[in-house]
Every structure is written in C-alpha cells, then in structure tokens.
Amino acid sequence: MSWSLESCPALVLNADFRPLSYFPLSIWSWQDAVKAVFLNRVNIVSQYDRVVRSPNLEMRLPSVISLKEYVPTSRRPAFTRFNVFLRDTFSCQYCGRGFPAHDLTFDHIVPRSRGGRTVWRNVVTACGACNLAKGNRLPREAKMYPRTPPIEPSSLQLQENGRSFPPNFLHESWRDFLYWDTELDPV
Ligand SMILES: [Zn+2]
C-alpha cells in the first residue's frame, strides 16, 4: 500500500505523552514533524513505513512525536486509562508485576456491583489473573490490597512516571494511543 506524504501527519504529544491538545487533536504536517526532529525538539514515539529521502538522508516519517520540553497545561491530569496505568507504573497493584498495556485491566477496589465508583481513588491497575481472582470482593474479603494507595496524581507525578517508560513500548500507533487516552466516565 502506498500513502501520499500528505496523509502522513504526526500526532504531537506533550512531554507526559498526552496529546498536546485533545480537541482538536494536535497534529503537525510531516514537514513540521521532520523539522522538529532535526532541531532536536521532539522524540519520535512511532513511525510510518513511509520513507522520505534526500541526497544525504533517509528516514521513516514520524507518526507520533513527543515534545522534549513539557508545555504546562492548567488542567489537572485527565482521568484516562493511560493515566491510570501511568500512575501505577504499568504494574499490577496486587501482584506487583509489570505488564504491557494490552495485558492490563482495571480493578474497582470497591466493586461497582457493591457501589464502588469509577474515580481515581477506587480504580487501580490489575493484571487479568489478579482481577479475576479478586472478582466482586472487597479487599478485606479477598485479602488483596493495592500496593500503593490510589490517589489522584499530579501532572508532575505522571510526567516523572512517563519518563521511565520508553513510549514506543506503550503504544505503537495513534489508534492505540487514542484508545488509552479516552476519558473515563466517572460514575
Ligand atoms: Zn497481578
């Protein structure tokens, strides 16, 4: 399959790996993205297969880039799948093991069926096995307690956690990224 260069824009993420702006999405043309790479202002998170060539250069076009310098946003961190995983450093809060994002789930500490809400303080990252093992029980019933108390993180905390994870490990395409960044509905 061949793509025209115009169909290869780059999604721009802030230094904490969230889109710079969500509505509308922050998107740069391939020219701006390539320029920013050469000015050393961005990291390449993900690339298209499409290659551009000049006499002394050959590179795959970036599909997702992240700014090296964090642009402060006034918003508190959005309550998203991605940010919950990032707060919990992509590790199961029950067994403590780290997993790729697609192997992680959410656990409601107080199950929804028991009145638990979908909020920062009641949602933790859990692997499938632990989630299944805990089921619809309270921590004291299951004897399973989160390793870290689940608080609402600050932007700074997420930014610091984000630094310890190579972003291309977390998501390979826009689609993945945007899925993880979908805002969760607080219930
Ligand atoms: Zn686990």
Side-chain angles (χ1 to χ4, degrees), residues 92-97 99 126-127 129-130:
C92 173
Q93 289 303 292
Y94 296 110
C95 66
R97 288 191 295 152
F99 293 88
C127 71
C130 287

Side-chain angles (χ1 to χ4, degrees), residues 22-34:
Y22 200 63
F23 297 109
L25 275 175
S26 35
I27 292 169
W28 288 358
S29 68
W30 69 270
Q31 293 98 323
D32 287 345
V34 168

Side-chain angles (χ1 to χ4, degrees), residues 10-150:
L11 175 66
V12 186
L13 310 179
N14 209 336
D16 62 355
F17 307 126
R18 287 176 46 206
L20 204 50
S21 66
Y22 200 63
F23 297 109
L25 275 175
S26 35
I27 292 169
W28 288 358
S29 68
W30 69 270
Q31 293 98 323
D32 287 345
V34 168
K35 200 183 295 174
V37 169
F38 280 94
L39 291 173
N40 209 21
R41 291 214 302 258
V42 295
N43 295 306
I44 296 175
V45 177
S46 182
Q47 292 171 306
Y48 293 107
D49 289 331
R50 186 78 157 82
V51 171
V52 282
R53 292 186 179 84
S54 75
N56 46 13
L57 150 90
E58 176 172 309
M59 82 178 286
R60 286 170 66 194
L61 288 177
S63 61
V64 182
I65 52 181
S66 67
L67 302 179
K68 290 198 170 174
E69 239 172 84
Y70 182 74
V71 175
T73 51
S74 55
R75 281 182 70 196
R76 287 150 65 193
F79 183 50
T80 62
R81 291 177 168 78
F82 185 82
N83 283 346
V84 171
F85 288 169
L86 194 54
R87 178 197 65 185
D88 296 341
T89 61
F90 290 81
S91 56
C92 173
Q93 289 303 292
Y94 296 110
C95 66
R97 288 191 295 152
F99 293 88
H102 58 83
D103 287 336
L104 290 170
T105 65
F106 294 102
D107 178 63
H108 284 76
I109 300 169
V110 177
R112 295 179 72 165
S113 59
R114 314 271 297 261
R117 296 165 62 210
T118 306
V119 292
W120 282 112
R121 287 175 182 279
N122 194 46
V123 171
V124 291
T125 305
C127 71
C130 287
N131 203 332
L132 199 65
K134 180 165 170 288
N136 268 339
R137 295 180 295 172
L138 298 171
R140 63 181 150 77
E141 293 167 348
K143 304 270 187 300
M144 293 171 72
Y145 298 90
R147 301 190 156 215
T148 315

